[in-house]
Amino acid sequence: IRLRHLAYYTTFVAEAELALVGAEQLVWLRRFDDEIDNFRAALTFALSGPSEANAQGVRLASSLWRYWLVRGQLSEGVSWLERALALPVELPSVVRAQAFNNQGNLTLELADFARAKDLYSQALALHEAAGNQEGVADELNNLGVLLSIQGKWGDARTYFERSLTIRRELGDRTSMPNTLSNLGDIALAEGDFDLAERFQREALAIRQEMGNRRGIAITNNNLGVIALQRDDLSVAHDLFEGGLRLAQDLG
């Protein structure tokens, strides 16, 4: 029964992961809220149970990263992933790479930049070896974020541009707005407000097309910062208000 329970929730979360950035994200966040005790029970069994459960535990812990991020449960998400990845289990390289990446995403939010860099670098090496360009684009973007945090704008831009090129070639509309937004942040930091706005507007259009309300809230905030830097306080106020309402609606 425990194995069937684990299999059900591993599939449930994997299939629903991208719904957390789609038009029905509020519905799915609430569904995840309702199932949180089942997630924890499945993970507890997977990480301490028989070997046939361990691999599913890695997949489940990895797929839950976005939920932990949105709900602010960063330390819990990192803890599950650390325990899962420490298990002596055989995994496809792309699955392990994605788990490293997702742990890196949560670790980055906890400001453990050295650990995040290590995780992203491990993921990049695995994706490159497997020829997985989507994964390569993810890691280039994330390593660019680390460089931008350190104020290394030129190096960060190079990573973001490489990531964006791959994502445009793949037609990856889900991830493309992240890189566009990051390039907008670089342009803003360098004082090029027009270029910053162009990147953010392109990101906003894709997020609106997808119905990604959390993404729209983030882009509204970014555009508000640009307006603030231009001393256009009325526009900034409206953008911040719009982003705040969306964020509050999503909890």
mmCIF file of all heavy atoms in Angstrom, residues 106-132:
data_model
loop_
_atom_site.group_PDB
_atom_site.id
_atom_site.type_symbol
_atom_site.label_atom_id
_atom_site.label_comp_id
_atom_site.label_asym_id
_atom_site.label_seq_id
_atom_site.Cartn_x
_atom_site.Cartn_y
_atom_site.Cartn_z
ATOM 1 N N LEU A 106 16.388 26.210 -4.776
ATOM 2 C CA LEU A 106 15.979 26.479 -3.399
ATOM 3 C C LEU A 106 17.153 26.992 -2.566
ATOM 4 O O LEU A 106 16.996 27.895 -1.736
ATOM 5 C CB LEU A 106 15.394 25.210 -2.767
ATOM 6 C CG LEU A 106 14.123 24.669 -3.424
ATOM 7 C CD1 LEU A 106 13.716 23.343 -2.791
ATOM 8 C CD2 LEU A 106 12.988 25.665 -3.325
ATOM 9 N N THR A 107 18.334 26.425 -2.798
ATOM 10 C CA THR A 107 19.528 26.850 -2.074
ATOM 11 C C THR A 107 19.876 28.294 -2.397
ATOM 12 O O THR A 107 20.295 29.064 -1.521
ATOM 13 C CB THR A 107 20.708 25.921 -2.427
ATOM 14 O OG1 THR A 107 20.359 24.572 -2.090
ATOM 15 C CG2 THR A 107 21.960 26.306 -1.669
ATOM 16 N N LEU A 108 19.685 28.686 -3.661
ATOM 17 C CA LEU A 108 19.924 30.067 -4.062
ATOM 18 C C LEU A 108 19.028 31.016 -3.278
ATOM 19 O O LEU A 108 19.480 32.072 -2.812
ATOM 20 C CB LEU A 108 19.675 30.222 -5.562
ATOM 21 C CG LEU A 108 19.817 31.636 -6.134
ATOM 22 C CD1 LEU A 108 21.272 32.091 -6.081
ATOM 23 C CD2 LEU A 108 19.310 31.684 -7.569
ATOM 24 N N GLU A 109 17.752 30.640 -3.111
ATOM 25 C CA GLU A 109 16.817 31.497 -2.370
ATOM 26 C C GLU A 109 17.205 31.602 -0.894
ATOM 27 O O GLU A 109 16.836 32.570 -0.224
ATOM 28 C CB GLU A 109 15.399 30.948 -2.497
ATOM 29 C CG GLU A 109 14.825 31.024 -3.900
ATOM 30 C CD GLU A 109 14.612 32.449 -4.376
ATOM 31 O OE1 GLU A 109 14.260 33.312 -3.543
ATOM 32 O OE2 GLU A 109 14.800 32.713 -5.581
ATOM 33 N N LEU A 110 17.941 30.620 -0.401
ATOM 34 C CA LEU A 110 18.439 30.666 0.979
ATOM 35 C C LEU A 110 19.779 31.383 1.080
ATOM 36 O O LEU A 110 20.380 31.431 2.150
ATOM 37 C CB LEU A 110 18.576 29.236 1.530
ATOM 38 C CG LEU A 110 17.257 28.512 1.813
ATOM 39 C CD1 LEU A 110 17.505 27.027 2.087
ATOM 40 C CD2 LEU A 110 16.536 29.142 2.995
ATOM 41 N N ALA A 111 20.241 31.929 -0.044
ATOM 42 C CA ALA A 111 21.473 32.735 -0.117
ATOM 43 C C ALA A 111 22.740 31.931 0.148
ATOM 44 O O ALA A 111 23.762 32.489 0.523
ATOM 45 C CB ALA A 111 21.399 33.935 0.828
ATOM 46 N N ASP A 112 22.683 30.611 -0.073
ATOM 47 C CA ASP A 112 23.887 29.787 0.007
ATOM 48 C C ASP A 112 24.456 29.702 -1.413
ATOM 49 O O ASP A 112 24.286 28.712 -2.120
ATOM 50 C CB ASP A 112 23.559 28.397 0.550
ATOM 51 C CG ASP A 112 24.807 27.570 0.834
ATOM 52 O OD1 ASP A 112 25.909 27.967 0.381
ATOM 53 O OD2 ASP A 112 24.691 26.531 1.504
ATOM 54 N N PHE A 113 25.134 30.771 -1.830
ATOM 55 C CA PHE A 113 25.515 30.930 -3.234
ATOM 56 C C PHE A 113 26.590 29.937 -3.662
ATOM 57 O O PHE A 113 26.566 29.440 -4.791
ATOM 58 C CB PHE A 113 25.975 32.366 -3.490
ATOM 59 C CG PHE A 113 24.935 33.387 -3.130
ATOM 60 C CD1 PHE A 113 25.271 34.518 -2.401
ATOM 61 C CD2 PHE A 113 23.608 33.212 -3.495
ATOM 62 C CE1 PHE A 113 24.316 35.460 -2.066
ATOM 63 C CE2 PHE A 113 22.643 34.149 -3.164
ATOM 64 C CZ PHE A 113 22.998 35.278 -2.448
ATOM 65 N N ALA A 114 27.514 29.630 -2.768
ATOM 66 C CA ALA A 114 28.577 28.684 -3.127
ATOM 67 C C ALA A 114 27.986 27.298 -3.384
ATOM 68 O O ALA A 114 28.354 26.618 -4.359
ATOM 69 C CB ALA A 114 29.627 28.621 -2.021
ATOM 70 N N ARG A 115 27.065 26.882 -2.523
ATOM 71 C CA ARG A 115 26.430 25.567 -2.698
ATOM 72 C C ARG A 115 25.567 25.552 -3.955
ATOM 73 O O ARG A 115 25.564 24.574 -4.707
ATOM 74 C CB ARG A 115 25.590 25.232 -1.464
ATOM 75 C CG ARG A 115 24.847 23.896 -1.533
ATOM 76 C CD ARG A 115 25.789 22.730 -1.686
ATOM 77 N NE ARG A 115 25.084 21.472 -1.641
ATOM 78 C CZ ARG A 115 25.480 20.369 -2.271
ATOM 79 N NH1 ARG A 115 26.601 20.389 -2.988
ATOM 80 N NH2 ARG A 115 24.787 19.251 -2.184
ATOM 81 N N ALA A 116 24.841 26.647 -4.205
ATOM 82 C CA ALA A 116 24.010 26.721 -5.404
ATOM 83 C C ALA A 116 24.872 26.602 -6.661
ATOM 84 O O ALA A 116 24.513 25.893 -7.611
ATOM 85 C CB ALA A 116 23.224 28.016 -5.421
ATOM 86 N N LYS A 117 26.004 27.290 -6.682
ATOM 87 C CA LYS A 117 26.902 27.210 -7.846
ATOM 88 C C LYS A 117 27.374 25.784 -8.075
ATOM 89 O O LYS A 117 27.423 25.306 -9.214
ATOM 90 C CB LYS A 117 28.096 28.141 -7.652
ATOM 91 C CG LYS A 117 29.057 28.125 -8.832
ATOM 92 C CD LYS A 117 30.233 29.074 -8.614
ATOM 93 C CE LYS A 117 31.179 29.045 -9.814
ATOM 94 N NZ LYS A 117 32.338 29.959 -9.618
ATOM 95 N N ASP A 118 27.724 25.099 -6.999
ATOM 96 C CA ASP A 118 28.180 23.716 -7.113
ATOM 97 C C ASP A 118 27.083 22.826 -7.688
ATOM 98 O O ASP A 118 27.335 21.995 -8.573
ATOM 99 C CB ASP A 118 28.614 23.204 -5.739
ATOM 100 C CG ASP A 118 29.080 21.762 -5.774
ATOM 101 O OD1 ASP A 118 30.026 21.450 -6.516
ATOM 102 O OD2 ASP A 118 28.480 20.927 -5.055
ATOM 103 N N LEU A 119 25.859 22.999 -7.216
ATOM 104 C CA LEU A 119 24.743 22.189 -7.696
ATOM 105 C C LEU A 119 24.437 22.477 -9.164
ATOM 106 O O LEU A 119 24.238 21.550 -9.963
ATOM 107 C CB LEU A 119 23.507 22.451 -6.838
ATOM 108 C CG LEU A 119 23.580 21.878 -5.413
ATOM 109 C CD1 LEU A 119 22.542 22.549 -4.515
ATOM 110 C CD2 LEU A 119 23.371 20.367 -5.429
ATOM 111 N N TYR A 120 24.409 23.751 -9.537
ATOM 112 C CA TYR A 120 24.162 24.107 -10.937
ATOM 113 C C TYR A 120 25.266 23.573 -11.843
ATOM 114 O O TYR A 120 24.998 23.116 -12.961
ATOM 115 C CB TYR A 120 24.060 25.624 -11.094
ATOM 116 C CG TYR A 120 22.825 26.254 -10.500
ATOM 117 C CD1 TYR A 120 22.874 27.536 -9.946
ATOM 118 C CD2 TYR A 120 21.594 25.596 -10.496
ATOM 119 C CE1 TYR A 120 21.739 28.140 -9.413
ATOM 120 C CE2 TYR A 120 20.465 26.187 -9.954
ATOM 121 C CZ TYR A 120 20.535 27.466 -9.420
ATOM 122 O OH TYR A 120 19.418 28.053 -8.896
ATOM 123 N N SER A 121 26.504 23.640 -11.376
ATOM 124 C CA SER A 121 27.629 23.171 -12.195
ATOM 125 C C SER A 121 27.561 21.662 -12.412
ATOM 126 O O SER A 121 27.839 21.167 -13.515
ATOM 127 C CB SER A 121 28.956 23.561 -11.533
ATOM 128 O OG SER A 121 29.091 24.967 -11.449
ATOM 129 N N GLN A 122 27.190 20.927 -11.361
ATOM 130 C CA GLN A 122 27.016 19.480 -11.513
ATOM 131 C C GLN A 122 25.898 19.169 -12.495
ATOM 132 O O GLN A 122 26.014 18.264 -13.343
ATOM 133 C CB GLN A 122 26.710 18.841 -10.159
ATOM 134 C CG GLN A 122 27.866 18.845 -9.177
ATOM 135 C CD GLN A 122 27.512 18.113 -7.901
ATOM 136 O OE1 GLN A 122 27.364 16.881 -7.893
ATOM 137 N NE2 GLN A 122 27.362 18.843 -6.807
ATOM 138 N N ALA A 123 24.803 19.915 -12.388
ATOM 139 C CA ALA A 123 23.674 19.699 -13.292
ATOM 140 C C ALA A 123 24.073 20.011 -14.736
ATOM 141 O O ALA A 123 23.718 19.269 -15.662
ATOM 142 C CB ALA A 123 22.496 20.561 -12.865
ATOM 143 N N LEU A 124 24.817 21.108 -14.934
ATOM 144 C CA LEU A 124 25.243 21.496 -16.281
ATOM 145 C C LEU A 124 26.098 20.399 -16.916
ATOM 146 O O LEU A 124 25.902 20.046 -18.092
ATOM 147 C CB LEU A 124 26.020 22.811 -16.226
ATOM 148 C CG LEU A 124 26.582 23.319 -17.562
ATOM 149 C CD1 LEU A 124 25.464 23.563 -18.563
ATOM 150 C CD2 LEU A 124 27.404 24.589 -17.339
ATOM 151 N N ALA A 125 27.030 19.863 -16.156
ATOM 152 C CA ALA A 125 27.902 18.813 -16.690
ATOM 153 C C ALA A 125 27.089 17.591 -17.122
ATOM 154 O O ALA A 125 27.345 16.998 -18.185
ATOM 155 C CB ALA A 125 28.942 18.421 -15.645
ATOM 156 N N LEU A 126 26.103 17.212 -16.335
ATOM 157 C CA LEU A 126 25.272 16.055 -16.667
ATOM 158 C C LEU A 126 24.408 16.328 -17.899
ATOM 159 O O LEU A 126 24.265 15.474 -18.775
ATOM 160 C CB LEU A 126 24.387 15.682 -15.474
ATOM 161 C CG LEU A 126 25.112 15.051 -14.281
ATOM 162 C CD1 LEU A 126 24.178 14.962 -13.073
ATOM 163 C CD2 LEU A 126 25.629 13.655 -14.643
ATOM 164 N N HIS A 127 23.820 17.522 -17.974
ATOM 165 C CA HIS A 127 22.989 17.861 -19.139
ATOM 166 C C HIS A 127 23.823 17.916 -20.415
ATOM 167 O O HIS A 127 23.391 17.450 -21.476
ATOM 168 C CB HIS A 127 22.307 19.212 -18.919
ATOM 169 C CG HIS A 127 21.136 19.157 -17.989
ATOM 170 N ND1 HIS A 127 20.110 18.255 -18.142
ATOM 171 C CD2 HIS A 127 20.820 19.919 -16.891
ATOM 172 C CE1 HIS A 127 19.207 18.446 -17.187
ATOM 173 N NE2 HIS A 127 19.623 19.439 -16.421
ATOM 174 N N GLU A 128 25.022 18.486 -20.324
ATOM 175 C CA GLU A 128 25.891 18.558 -21.503
ATOM 176 C C GLU A 128 26.284 17.168 -21.972
ATOM 177 O O GLU A 128 26.276 16.880 -23.183
ATOM 178 C CB GLU A 128 27.124 19.396 -21.187
ATOM 179 C CG GLU A 128 26.843 20.887 -21.085
ATOM 180 C CD GLU A 128 28.071 21.705 -20.728
ATOM 181 O OE1 GLU A 128 28.986 21.165 -20.052
ATOM 182 O OE2 GLU A 128 28.111 22.892 -21.104
ATOM 183 N N ALA A 129 26.602 16.289 -21.027
ATOM 184 C CA ALA A 129 26.991 14.924 -21.384
ATOM 185 C C ALA A 129 25.843 14.169 -22.046
ATOM 186 O O ALA A 129 26.063 13.333 -22.936
ATOM 187 C CB ALA A 129 27.475 14.179 -20.144
ATOM 188 N N ALA A 130 24.618 14.487 -21.620
ATOM 189 C CA ALA A 130 23.445 13.810 -22.174
ATOM 190 C C ALA A 130 22.918 14.490 -23.435
ATOM 191 O O ALA A 130 21.983 13.983 -24.075
ATOM 192 C CB ALA A 130 22.343 13.760 -21.122
ATOM 193 N N GLY A 131 23.487 15.655 -23.797
ATOM 194 C CA GLY A 131 23.010 16.387 -24.961
ATOM 195 C C GLY A 131 21.637 16.994 -24.758
ATOM 196 O O GLY A 131 20.895 17.206 -25.728
ATOM 197 N N ASN A 132 21.285 17.282 -23.515
ATOM 198 C CA ASN A 132 19.967 17.835 -23.184
ATOM 199 C C ASN A 132 20.032 19.354 -23.194
ATOM 200 O O ASN A 132 20.386 19.986 -22.202
ATOM 201 C CB ASN A 132 19.513 17.324 -21.813
ATOM 202 C CG ASN A 132 18.159 17.884 -21.406
ATOM 203 O OD1 ASN A 132 17.367 18.274 -22.253
ATOM 204 N ND2 ASN A 132 17.905 17.935 -20.122
#
